[in-house]
């Protein structure tokens, strides 16, 4: 009886009510806190001020996540698929259980001394996605995903056109500007850096064409960049409009 | 009789006709002028040229707003909720009356000597929102607000995806660029500055990746930035389209 | 008989067929050429290479436009409103006739020696708008204008919100950054320059916040900038969608 | 019998099944690889490391494309239009056959020693467009093309307005900034470079106005830039929405 209630609390799939259970909300908050700690720890000025604090916090979070992992492993027995020792092993190697494990294992293996271990810790954030997909956001999630899927061909096509445009524009600038600025436009891959910054209208300005012809092509690229934004936006708007009307019609 | 007419003129809610009354229009103009004065006063070259002028203008505006406040306090007696001394006290502590008070009180308390007092003065601008919500714009306001509310889940979801993207991109650049540019990419919070400028396609260019791998990730981030713009735009477009058709259907 | 045919050719309103008449097409081309000449003449390296050429071209264009103006003045007699001497005077002071006159008068008054006379010459471009509004583009023009008009309240409202956002963001950065960068953020009007470049996602990068708090507010401003683009785009998309369906329904 | 099957495999138009044949997929992959090689070869650091490798790869690709060309020339005899010697000649001078030829001819003519020969090699990429237009993407392609065509007048009109805006803004900045920055704003064509970077919200920041009036006009231009993005995006969104509903209605 007790395990059944625990399972209901832990496994979002098993829940009848809409929204996350209290335990899962607490876990969400913990994940956010743990990720925030991992992010702040990368800042040297903060780490040097309180080196012990970050280590203590990490130990605390790992202890809590280990407890959560054990509870999940225990409670999952409610699911017929994961019953018994064999079932538990199958659960351990299921996708989300592995993600859960990756979030705590590095700590025990002593990987944390390594500088990039925080990447493993941030993997915990992906666990939020799993939770977010349930409860109140599940309908919104499926509406957006359905809209994207129904127009995937149009979106891929506009991505393909954008790719050709990107290549074409960087080839043009390579031909025109290579002599004037060999460092920035001396090859097509180098010109790509400028090209992508212009087509996406980011425009860092660290590299800009200097010749008159280069500026002409750059202007055309910038104008094409508006099309590059307008195209997928228009497709998405139409797809969402369709999807919302479909959903309401049902 | 006279108080009733004054109340009709001052309280936009009490008005039957569409649009703002003459008094409220004058007050709107005064708010704009007072805010403009407060903004221009922050500019040292202007302040030094005519220090007395700005002080005189502020005194004039505060006098007018004090008169307005007194009139409102007198006229609000028409509203059964705010009748009598107890009612007036309740009115004084209502949200919009407090905003009105904050706009004039600092002057009398002598806060204006403080440099940031202009922030309090700009609070007056929020009073325009209250007026704008009425009259001719009320329908447009509710249409936009309803559309935003009806798709709030989709918008929050895309905000969440954008947040993860932001974090993911700054983590990538921290890992790749930290060694080459410790000042700009030496920690995830530092990399966030670059990341947000790129994902929103602002692209200041004060910080740009230098390694080939960093540029690759930066390019992917810039492309993802287009999705970040296209997603909410598409959702809003579909929501507005729905809303406008609903409104007409009624 | 002859004047009637000339009037049919010159006045786009009088035409029954769709599209521009041959004469008006020639005039359009002349306007474009004259404007291009005026633009290129501003470039010192080009002007110095052939100073006589530009003067000669301008004389030619003015001669042709004077001929056109005289012909229009003669042919407009077909219109009952502009018949007789009094009618002609009324025509001369009508809006488009004045625009036509402004395009040629400065030449005869010897204003061309002045450096900014090219602005008057570029006014000729506005004449193209008048022609473009007719013929094939008239339907597209009215569809776009109707859509903009039908949602003008929503558009003004989002412009108002954008304006408040702009002000709010520049006030925040003035408070936070004024001490660190008095030159760029020393007053609200100065901070506005940064603020508008960020909110519109232009992002020149000539001025960027340096303090941690300033960067935080800047990041929020940049994110708000996406809303600033998404809002009017969504409204326009919905308005156009409505308009196109209306037009087809008829 | 054999030639008929080969033709079915090679000519995408002749295929009954949806999607590309195995041969055409292999050719697509080869085109991508050959283009990637051509792009990477422009990078001096890579070319100098393995100069023989790139030459060998190019020889291999040209050999394969020559074989493909010969096979197509042989198989096209299945098409009644291109039967016999005269038909083959007609095929050779058809558009896509010429594109195929241009992809291999420069190699045999020894043009590859020239630096810009890679442009000819990248022409091969356009061959992918021909293949992409078939199979699975054909419906998406026609949907997007139809939507663009049905609203071409509105799109041209907004392009025209954008063009006038561009001109107007660069004229304003030329008048205002020419004295302060003759290098960047000394003529309208020069100011155009700044103007296009601002209106498309790219914002390199290599050239920015310095005078107060220049900054005012620049701010207005940046705001107009949002309209420049919102306008075509809105038109496209409405056009796609229309098109998708039409397609489903059928």
């Amino acid at each position: 009886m007790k395990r059944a209630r625990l399972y209901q609390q832990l496994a979002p799939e098993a829940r009848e009510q809409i929204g996350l259970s209290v335990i899962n909300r607490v876990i969400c908050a913990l994940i956010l806190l743990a990720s925030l700690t991992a992010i702040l720890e990368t800042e040297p000025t903060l780490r040097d001020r309180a080196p012990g604090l970050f280590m203590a916090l990490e130990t605390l979070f790992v202890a809590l996540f280990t407890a959560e992992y054990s509870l999940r492993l225990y409670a999952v027995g409610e699911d017929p698929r994961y019953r018994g020792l064999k079932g538990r092993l199958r659960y351990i190697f299921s996708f989300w259980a592995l993600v859960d494990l990756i979030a705590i294992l590095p700590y025990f293996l002593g990987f944390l001394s390594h500088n990039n271990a925080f990447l493993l810790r941030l993997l915990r954030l992906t666990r939020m996605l799993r939770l977010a997909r349930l409860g109140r956001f599940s309908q919104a999630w499926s509406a957006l995903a359905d809209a994207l899927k129904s127009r995937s061909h149009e979106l891929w096509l506009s991505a393909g056109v954008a790719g050709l445009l990107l290549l074409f524009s960087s080839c043009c600038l390579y031909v025109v500007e290579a002599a004037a600025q060999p460092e920035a436009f001396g090859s097509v891959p180098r010109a790509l850096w400028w090209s992508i910054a212009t087509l996406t209208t980011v425009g860092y300005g660290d590299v800009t064409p200097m010749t008159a012809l280069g500026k002409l092509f750059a202007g055309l690229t910038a104008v094409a960049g508006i099309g590059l934004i307008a195209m997928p936006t228009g497709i998405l708007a139409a797809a969402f409009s369709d999807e919302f009307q479909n959903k309401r019609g049902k």
Side-chain angles (χ1 to χ4, degrees), chain A:
Chain A
M1 194 66 203
K2 216 176 142 195
R3 196 176 73 170
R5 234 164 69 201
L6 184 68
Y7 183 65
Q8 279 254 330
Q9 282 286 315
L10 279 172
E13 304 88 10
R15 250 194 138 211
E16 281 126 29
Q17 291 158 270
I18 282 174
L20 289 175
S21 65
V22 180
I23 290 191
N24 278 330
R25 280 177 198 207
V26 170
I27 291 170
C28 267
L30 281 177
I31 292 171
L32 276 181
L33 276 175
S35 305
L36 191 68
T37 315
I39 285 171
L40 290 179
E41 198 184 336
T42 61
E43 174 62 42
T45 55
L46 288 174
R47 193 172 45 208
D48 296 349
R49 207 174 295 173
L53 177 71
F54 284 106
M55 204 58 210
L57 276 173
E58 179 62 16
T59 310
L60 176 70
F61 288 129
V62 167
L64 287 167
F65 288 136
T66 310
E68 184 214 346
Y69 187 80
S70 314
L71 280 175
R72 278 192 199 277
L73 195 61
Y74 164 69
V76 84
E78 286 297 310
D79 188 327
R81 280 176 301 164
Y82 300 129
R83 213 155 271 170
L85 188 69
K86 227 170 130 186
R88 295 290 155 84
L89 270 172
R90 204 179 305 130
Y91 171 74
I92 288 172
F93 287 101
S94 71
F95 179 71
W96 286 114
L98 281 175
V99 170
D100 289 3
L101 195 62
I102 285 172
I104 49 173
L105 212 59
Y107 181 85
F108 296 111
L109 298 179
F111 277 170
L112 283 188
S113 55
H114 191 279
N115 202 24
N116 295 341
F118 90 104
L119 273 184
L120 289 169
R121 288 204 250 158
L122 284 177
L123 273 179
R124 290 166 189 162
L125 276 174
T126 60
R127 292 177 57 200
M128 288 198 66
L129 274 182
R130 176 204 187 185
L131 296 170
R133 264 189 20 205
L134 296 146
R136 233 172 300 168
F137 287 95
S138 64
Q139 225 180 353
W141 184 272
S142 77
L144 296 187
D146 287 0
L148 283 174
K149 231 177 283 170
S150 72
R151 294 295 156 203
S152 63
H153 282 148
E154 278 85 358
L155 288 170
W156 277 114
L157 202 66
S158 69
V161 170
L164 281 181
L165 213 65
L166 190 70
L167 220 57
F168 180 73
S169 126
S170 49
C171 286
C172 284
L173 264 107
Y174 159 64
V175 170
V176 167
E177 287 278 323
Q181 302 186 74
E183 196 57 46
F185 293 100
S187 72
V188 176
R190 286 178 197 199
L192 263 173
W193 171 242
W194 168 86
S195 194
I196 209 161
T198 301
L199 263 181
T200 58
T201 77
V202 168
Y204 289 121
D206 55 342
V207 182
T208 47
M210 285 174 178
T211 64
L213 213 58
K215 285 187 177 185
L216 180 71
F217 281 123
L220 292 175
T221 305
V223 170
I226 288 186
L228 196 69
I229 292 178
M231 204 80 175
T233 306
I235 296 172
L236 282 182
F240 291 151
S241 193
D242 256 34
E243 194 61 35
F244 295 165
Q245 281 177 5
N246 269 11
K247 284 267 156 72
R248 198 201 292 157
K250 279 175 196 165

